[in-house]
C-alpha cells in the first residue's frame, strides 16, 4: 500500500523557471510533511517541512503548498538553478508518535543551464 | 558531514552470504531507522529502534535483522543474500519529539 504518491517521476526545467512536484497522501492522521533532497552518492537531507495547520510555508526559493481537504501538497522551486538538480522526496509521518516517515518514490529534477 | 556514520560505504558479496551494516547515530539521537533504496521502489522503511528497543517494523524480510546496542549504534544483518538485495541501505537518526531525520551517506550493497 503506497501511502504517499508523488509525481512526476522526472522533471526537466529551464534555468530560472519554476519546478513543481506534487504529492498526495491517504492517512488523514499524518501530522508532518517533509521534503527531502538527495544528491548522487549522498543520503537524503531535509529541505523543508510543513504541519497541516498551515497552507503554505516558504524558505528562500522553496515553498510548500498544502491542501488538507484534498490531501495533497506540493513543492515549488522558484528561479530554479542547475545546483537544484537532484532527486526530491515528499514524505509524511505521525511525528507526535515519533513514527516512521513514509516516503514517496521520488522525482528526479534536472535544471537545464 | 551529517553526524550519522555508516560503514562500510561499499560492499560487494556473493549470493548466499551474510553481511553486517553498521550505523552510529548523531550524538543525542535515540531513534535509529533503516531504509532500503532501490531504483524502482524509492526509500522503503525497514525497521526502527528507540533506545535499544524495536519500535516499528516495515517491509523487512525475515532474512534481515537488526539491533541497537547500549551505546545506541545499530547494526543491520542481511543473510542468505540474493541478487535482488542489491541496493543502497540508509540509516537515519532522530530525537523523539523533534521533527525530521538525519540520514547517513548510506552503504551500497552489491550482490553478485
Amino acid at each position: 500500500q503506497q501511502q504517499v504518491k508523488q509525481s512526476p517521476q522526472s522533471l526537466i526545467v529551464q534555468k530560472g523557471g519554476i519546478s513543481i512536484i506534487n504529492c498526495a497522501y491517504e492517512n488523514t492522521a499524518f501530522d508532518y510533511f517533509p521534503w527531502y533532497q538527495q544528491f548522487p552518492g549522498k543520503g537524503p537531507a531535509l529541505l523543508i517541512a510543513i504541519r497541516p495547520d498551515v497552507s503554505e510555508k516558504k524558505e528562500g526559493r522553496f515553498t510548500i503548498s498544502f491542501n488538507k481537504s484534498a490531501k495533497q501538497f506540493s513543492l515549488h522551486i522558484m528561479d530554479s538553478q542547475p545546483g537544484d538538480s537532484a532527486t526530491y522526496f515528499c514524505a509524511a509521518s505521525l511525528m507526535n508518535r515519533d513514527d516512521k516517515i513514509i516516503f514517496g518514490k521520488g522525482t528526479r529534477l534536472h535544471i537545464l543551464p | 558531514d551529517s553526524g550519522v556514520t555508516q560503514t562500510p560505504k561499499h560492499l560487494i558479496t556473493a549470493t548466499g552470504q551474510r553481511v553486517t551494516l553498521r550505523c552510529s547515530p548523531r550524538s543525542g539521537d535515540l531513534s535509529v531507522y533503516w531504509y532500503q533504496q532501490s531504483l524502482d521502489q524509492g526509500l522503503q522503511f525497514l525497521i526502527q529502534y528507540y533506545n535499544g528497543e524495536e519500535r516499528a517494523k516495515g517491509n523487512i524480510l525475515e532474512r534481515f535483522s537488526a539491533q541497537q546496542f547500549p551505546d545506541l549504534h545499530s547494526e543491520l544483518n542481511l543473510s542468505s543474500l540474493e541478487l535482488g538485495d542489491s541496493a543502497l541501505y540508509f540509516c537515519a537518526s532522530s530525537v523523539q519529539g523533534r521533527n525530521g531525520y538525519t540520514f547517513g551517506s548510506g552503504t551500497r550493497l552489491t550482490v553478485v
Side-chain angles (χ1 to χ4, degrees):
Chain A
Q1 179 189 7
Q2 187 182 354
Q3 296 193 52
V4 180
K5 294 184 179 180
Q6 183 173 348
S7 63
Q9 279 189 314
S10 62
L11 182 61
I12 299 174
V13 175
Q14 291 281 351
K15 179 183 174 182
I18 302 174
S19 303
I20 302 174
I21 304 171
N22 300 300
C23 281
Y25 63 97
E26 297 171 4
N27 187 346
T28 55
F30 286 143
D31 61 359
Y32 177 67
F33 300 89
W35 285 87
Y36 281 79
Q37 180 188 55
Q38 184 181 26
F39 293 105
K42 302 291 186 182
L46 180 63
L47 183 64
I48 186 173
I50 197 168
R51 295 273 188 165
D53 53 346
V54 298
S55 60
E56 186 175 281
K57 183 173 181 179
K58 184 176 181 179
E59 290 184 2
R61 297 183 294 109
F62 299 90
T63 299
I64 300 178
S65 297
F66 188 83
N67 186 330
K68 189 174 181 178
S69 60
K71 294 189 290 184
Q72 295 176 346
F73 58 111
S74 60
L75 176 69
H76 292 62
I77 306 175
M78 312 299 288
D79 186 26
S80 299
Q81 299 297 311
D84 297 330
S85 297
T87 299
Y88 291 82
F89 294 93
C90 64
S93 78
L94 293 160
M95 287 310 295
N96 60 349
R97 288 174 47 195
D98 190 28
D99 207 350
K100 59 187 179 294
I101 292 181
I102 307 297
F103 288 87
K105 290 196 173 185
T107 297
R108 289 190 176 187
L109 174 64
H110 182 66
I111 307 300
L112 297 172
Chain B
D1 182 8
S2 68
V4 178
T5 304
Q6 287 189 249
T7 56
K9 291 192 183 305
H10 303 277
L11 199 49
I12 301 175
T13 190
T15 54
Q17 295 298 306
R18 171 191 167 97
V19 297
T20 298
L21 313 184
R22 182 187 169 101
C23 169
S24 294
R26 199 176 52 168
S27 178
D29 287 357
L30 300 179
S31 286
V32 169
Y33 309 79
W34 287 96
Y35 283 80
Q36 180 191 59
Q37 184 177 34
S38 56
L39 279 175
D40 58 344
Q41 291 296 321
L43 283 158
Q44 294 289 310
F45 171 72
L46 296 178
I47 197 164
Q48 175 196 359
Y49 279 83
Y50 174 77
N51 202 21
E53 299 292 326
E54 182 183 303
R55 174 69 67 91
K57 254 185 177 180
N59 300 319
I60 187 166
L61 299 172
E62 286 191 8
R63 300 183 285 108
F64 296 1
S65 65
Q67 54 185 328
Q68 186 179 27
F69 295 86
D71 67 353
L72 300 179
H73 91 271
S74 178
E75 293 181 354
L76 179 66
N77 300 295
L78 316 176
S79 62
S80 303
L81 285 167
E82 302 175 358
L83 296 177
D85 298 326
S86 296
L88 270 167
Y89 291 84
F90 285 103
C91 165
S93 71
S94 74
V95 174
Q96 186 178 16
R98 294 182 61 181
N99 299 335
Y101 293 169
T102 301
F103 278 87
S105 295
T107 293
R108 181 174 293 279
L109 174 66
T110 303
V111 182
V112 298

